[in-house]
Amino acid sequence: MMDPTLLIAFITTTLLFIAAPGPSVAFATAQGLKHGRRGLFITVAGDGLGTIVHIAVAASSLATLLALSDVILPPLQIAGGIFIVWMGLQSFVAMRNGTTFRAKPADKVTFWAGFFACVSNPKAIVFFVALFPAFISADHSVLVQTLIYGAIFLLLDALSIIGYALLTMHTVNRAASRWLNPHVLTGTGLTGVGLTMIVKGYRALPGT
């Protein structure tokens, strides 16, 4: 069913890939600080759906994925960035209005924001375009290999995001909560992530 050498190589490469925190980690951490663990886990679920989209397109057609990267990804990245900036601004509004910080998150908003942060992440696109196909063996079922590799990546990626986010949340809650308003922290973080996505998407637009 699987080539053991390729499987070990894939796991090793995935661990190295997720070792460096990206936009998904930053966004999940901000949501965790704002809404607690519930917000964090919902964000990770949205991120997981974005990863499934990457895997499905990569498995169905590499050419399609490349076309999506060139044509659809930049506008999607801009739209996702605007959405995340809007969420950041809501943190500043909540601070001004004196809203309780651990308010129940809007599950759908948090989920789809996590999805946008993942599906428009250039780092993930590069991984699934350049690396993922290299681990598929022609001697075994492509579908089975894709499902196994996909499940492994989803699990390791989710654990990585949750681990980074919980560690940061613990550090902030212990050291920074006494002098830094959490609304300011999450608002600044979300706005920064969103603006970065907007700038990257704009620069990737055809003709710019």
Side-chain angles (χ1 to χ4, degrees), residues 5 8 14 31 40 48 52 66 70 105 112 121 129 133 140 143 153 163 171 175 181-182 191 195 197:
T5 302
I8 294 173
T14 299
Q31 289 300 98
L40 167 61
I52 290 174
L66 291 172
D70 294 336
W112 288 112
N121 182 3
V129 168
H140 304 281
L143 177 59
F153 186 93
T171 302
N181 189 304
T191 303
L195 289 176
M197 291 174 62

Side-chain angles (χ1 to χ4, degrees), residues 63-149:
T64 300
L65 183 57
L66 291 172
L68 286 172
S69 299
D70 294 336
V71 179
I72 296 179
L73 179 60
L76 183 63
Q77 200 165 43
I78 293 173
I82 293 173
F83 187 54
I84 292 175
V85 167
W86 175 81
M87 295 184 68
L89 295 178
Q90 296 306 302
S91 292
F92 293 115
V93 172
M95 177 188 66
R96 186 181 64 181
N97 295 338
T99 304
T100 301
F101 190 70
R102 294 293 183 184
K104 180 181 179 181
D107 292 352
K108 290 183 179 179
V109 173
T110 303
F111 178 87
W112 288 112
F115 170 80
F116 274 120
C118 174
V119 80
S120 61
N121 182 3
K123 181 182 176 183
I125 291 290
V126 170
F127 179 88
F128 287 104
V129 168
L131 298 179
F132 191 83
F135 300 102
I136 301 296
S137 172
D139 298 329
H140 304 281
S141 169
V142 173
L143 177 59
V144 171
Q145 291 177 86
T146 300
L147 291 175
I148 293 176
Y149 285 144

Side-chain angles (χ1 to χ4, degrees), residues 25-52:
V25 172
F27 181 73
T29 300
Q31 289 300 98
L33 287 169
K34 185 175 182 180
H35 298 302
R37 295 188 178 185
R38 177 184 176 85
L40 167 61
F41 293 139
I42 292 174
T43 303
V44 171
D47 179 88
L49 179 60
T51 298
I52 290 174

Side-chain angles (χ1 to χ4, degrees), residues 144-161:
V144 171
Q145 291 177 86
T146 300
L147 291 175
I148 293 176
Y149 285 144
I152 291 173
F153 186 93
L154 281 169
L155 176 62
L156 294 179
D157 186 49
L159 290 176
S160 173
I161 294 174

